Amino acid sequence: MTDHELLRILNFVEQIRVPFDRSFRSATPDATWNIVLFLFRKNLQGHDVTKSSLALSSQIPFPSAMRKIHQLIADGDVEQIPKTPTGRATILVPSQRFTAEFKQYALSVKALLSDIWSQAAGSTGPEDYYFGAKHLIGQTALPFKALSNGHSTYTDLRFLLHKDGYFASMRNLLSDFRPDSYRDRTSALFLRHLEF
């Protein structure tokens, strides 16, 4: 599983909880959920995470969030890495074990989703499914072929130039783009210009 796919799954599981929080008045912020998702997102994006930024992401009072973060550090889920030579400033990263657990969780989510979508796509398992892209196959429009005339492999580019000194110098530069200035004539563009 790539980091990009892991980030897409992380965004999905975060967004899937939003309707629950909005629909039920009794729903309260889950500090551990918010902290874990924030930590992994920032880690995958290559951003530094401090204790204060992690506490703010928890959506609970700051002292309670700090206790939760210190508990995660004590449990070995989160590691502190010195940011400065003195070691007074630190950044937080998930431990290898915690990262493996999160990846296992993401694989479980991917397996559930691929089971739902694979029936229509005809795939055999989660390893055949790339989260965020495979279900769009067959629904994506083909790219538009710009400036295609259907008769030639060459494309004419036309420039509308004003008749003054600035555009006169541009017209003189067109000679640099003519096909005889290229060795590979198959990749050359024929340029024509119009004067007014």
Side-chain angles (χ1 to χ4, degrees):
M1 178 181 298
T2 65
D3 285 351
H4 176 71
E5 187 178 18
L6 189 58
L7 191 57
R8 300 268 318 220
I9 292 172
L10 189 150
N11 289 336
F12 173 77
V13 296
E14 182 178 38
Q15 291 302 315
I16 202 69
R17 183 160 180 141
V18 171
F20 176 82
D21 291 339
R22 288 182 182 162
S23 300
F24 296 97
R25 288 181 297 175
S26 58
T28 57
D30 184 343
T32 305
W33 175 263
N34 294 333
I35 287 171
V36 168
L37 292 185
F38 182 84
L39 180 64
F40 276 101
R41 177 186 293 103
K42 293 300 181 184
N43 187 51
L44 288 169
Q45 293 172 340
H47 298 147
D48 292 344
V49 177
T50 62
K51 285 182 184 178
S52 58
S53 64
L54 198 57
L56 288 173
S57 72
S58 68
Q59 299 177 7
I60 61 172
F62 194 81
S64 301
M66 290 303 285
R67 282 194 296 274
K68 181 75 70 176
I69 291 167
H70 286 293
Q71 186 61 47
L72 289 169
I73 293 169
D75 293 343
D77 295 331
V78 178
E79 295 176 353
Q80 297 183 85
I81 297 175
K83 189 176 181 179
T84 59
T86 60
R88 293 186 65 187
T90 60
I91 58 172
L92 303 177
V93 295
S95 66
Q96 288 184 348
R97 178 185 54 78
F98 201 42
T99 301
E101 290 173 356
F102 187 79
K103 285 184 178 179
Q104 186 59 46
Y105 166 71
L107 282 171
S108 300
V109 171
K110 179 181 174 179
L112 291 171
L113 292 172
S114 67
D115 186 45
I116 293 168
W117 285 322
S118 65
Q119 296 171 5
S123 62
T124 58
E127 65 279 352
D128 296 330
Y129 180 78
Y130 182 75
F131 189 83
K134 190 167 184 177
H135 69 284
L136 297 176
I137 293 175
Q139 300 176 18
T140 307
L142 294 175
F144 177 71
K145 292 184 179 179
L147 302 174
S148 175
N149 59 16
H151 298 295
S152 173
T153 57
Y154 297 108
T155 301
D156 290 340
L157 294 179
R158 298 180 180 181
F159 294 90
L160 179 63
L161 303 175
H162 200 286
K163 197 170 188 176
D164 68 21
Y166 178 79
F167 291 99
S169 64
M170 283 182 53
R171 184 180 62 246
N172 294 336
L173 287 174
L174 288 176
S175 62
D176 294 338
F177 296 103
R178 284 190 294 201
D180 54 344
S181 66
Y182 290 102
R183 292 185 182 176
D184 184 9
R185 292 180 62 88
T186 60
S187 64
L189 296 174
F190 289 114
L191 301 176
R192 293 186 299 189
H193 67 277
L194 299 175
E195 281 188 352
F196 282 69

